[in-house]
Amino acid sequence: MELRDDLRLALDRVAFAEKLGITPDPWQRDLLHSASDRVLLNCCRQSGKSTMTAIVTLHRALYHPGSLILCLAPALRQSQELFGKVLGFYRDLGRPVSPQGERKLSLELENGSRIVTLPGSEKTIRGFSGTSLLVLDEAARVEDELYFAVRPMLAVSGGALMMLSTPYGKRGVFYEEWTAGHGWERYEVPANQCPRISEEFLEEERAVLPSWVYRQEYECSFEETEDQVFTTEMVERALTSEVTPLFGSA
Ligand SMILES: Nc1ncnc2c1ncn2[C@@H]1O[C@H](COP(=O)(O)OP(=O)(O)OP(=O)(O)O)[C@@H](O)[C@H]1O
Ligand SMILES: [Mg+2]
């Protein structure tokens, strides 16, 4: 049977991942089984978040004809890396749906699906409509303006949104959505849940890195920003609604 007509792979993204030679970790399995269209992945370095997103992306492009999928990251190099994984998987499968255009930054399939890689600049993303999946890699480092510019693209299409990142301070949209956003399915994956990261390696990292860096990179922790003089808690404690501002209205 042709891969693209294989109903099992179309319906089961875990089977699809296995076809690509990947045995998903428990959290990855949950993600692949999920039908949620609002997903936040707060995962440690090297846990496989880009790999999983690449699988979700390719699966959608192959089995949902006419999909427009946008891959964004703060820098083009990062979105390109994600796209590189998508392209690698597509080639590994033997291009089950023929390409119409296979370029460095985009893949267009004969079933009408398109995967487009974009740098994290608000200007480049305006003009895309009908997006069925929007992926924000390294989302903790994405500018708020970019996030505000991309959300309306999902309004008419009803598209899905995935944001994946290792934390980067108590600020920005990824932090805000993770701590207070509504409607998200959340995955938190510290390094001790990643079978490919050994305890010995983590011991070494713990000894070498400043403790806040270790917590950020390997324990999914939103740490105070490096250059922040006052902690977020201090700032919040200092705010009061009981004092009338000297200028302007309350
Ligand atoms: N379930 C799995 N089985 C085998 N290898 C895996 C699995 N998940 C991820 N990997 C491998 O782990 C490595 C890291 O994956 P990936 O780049 O997706 O992680 P990441 O969380 O995006 O990392 P970073 O934080 O550095 O961007 C890759 O070599 C990938 O192939
Ligand atoms: Mg990554």
Side-chain angles (χ1 to χ4, degrees):
M1 188 192 319
E2 293 235 11
L3 203 58
R4 68 173 177 189
D5 301 323
D6 189 333
L7 198 58
R8 196 175 57 97
L9 298 182
L11 295 176
D12 182 357
R13 294 191 299 197
V14 169
F16 183 69
E18 284 166 352
K19 188 87 188 167
L20 286 161
I22 293 195
T23 308
D25 302 338
W27 76 267
Q28 296 178 338
R29 190 170 278 275
D30 291 344
L31 172 69
L32 295 173
H33 277 146
S34 165
S36 173
D37 62 1
R38 290 289 180 276
V39 173
L40 294 177
L41 305 180
N42 172 7
C43 307
C44 77
R45 299 294 315 279
Q46 289 291 297
S47 52
K49 53 193 175 305
S50 296
T51 302
M52 281 306 115
T53 309
I55 290 173
V56 168
T57 296
L58 182 61
H59 187 272
R60 185 172 291 249
L62 293 176
Y63 296 109
H64 299 258
S67 292
L68 172 61
I69 302 155
L70 299 183
C71 301
L72 275 98
L76 186 61
R77 181 187 55 77
Q78 293 157 324
S79 35
Q80 224 175 333
E81 193 174 312
L82 176 67
F83 179 69
K85 289 185 199 291
V86 177
L87 211 52
F89 287 148
Y90 173 65
R91 289 172 185 162
D92 289 349
L93 289 176
R95 296 180 174 84
V97 177
S98 301
Q100 281 216 322
E102 193 174 327
R103 303 190 190 86
K104 211 168 143 204
L105 296 177
S106 67
L107 175 65
E108 203 171 334
L109 301 178
E110 73 172 4
N111 68 2
S113 288
R114 270 196 305 158
I115 304 169
V116 179
T117 321
L118 296 167
S121 139
E122 191 222 324
K123 291 183 197 78
T124 56
I125 56 112
R126 288 182 186 268
F128 284 99
S129 60
T131 310
S132 56
L133 171 63
L134 196 87
V135 173
L136 279 179
D137 200 352
E138 306 290 348
R141 292 165 191 254
V142 157
E143 299 290 336
D144 291 4
E145 291 70 30
L146 175 72
Y147 181 65
F148 300 142
V150 297
R151 285 203 60 113
M153 291 162 48
L154 306 170
V156 175
S157 60
L161 179 55
M162 283 181 82
M163 295 211 278
L164 46 145
S165 201
T166 299
Y168 187 58
K170 292 186 177 184
R171 52 141 165 74
V173 288
F174 185 69
Y175 170 69
E176 298 294 336
E177 295 292 4
W178 179 263
T179 50
H182 294 290
W184 294 99
E185 192 166 283
R186 293 173 172 79
Y187 295 80
E188 183 175 300
V189 186
N192 61 14
Q193 282 182 32
C194 179
R196 288 165 301 284
I197 301 179
S198 71
E199 187 49 44
E200 296 74 49
F201 176 78
L202 290 177
E203 282 302 321
E204 197 184 327
E205 290 290 272
R206 210 176 277 132
V208 169
L209 296 172
S211 55
W212 71 269
V213 176
Y214 182 86
R215 288 193 299 271
Q216 171 175 289
E217 302 296 302
Y218 296 111
E219 293 181 339
C220 308
S221 171
F222 292 89
E223 295 290 310
E224 301 299 339
T225 315
E226 277 162 272
D227 54 4
Q228 202 168 329
V229 178
F230 301 105
T231 66
T232 306
E233 281 76 16
M234 281 162 81
V235 174
E236 274 164 8
R237 274 205 307 275
L239 294 175
T240 172
S241 55
E242 287 162 16
V243 178
T244 313
L246 284 178
F247 304 101
S249 54

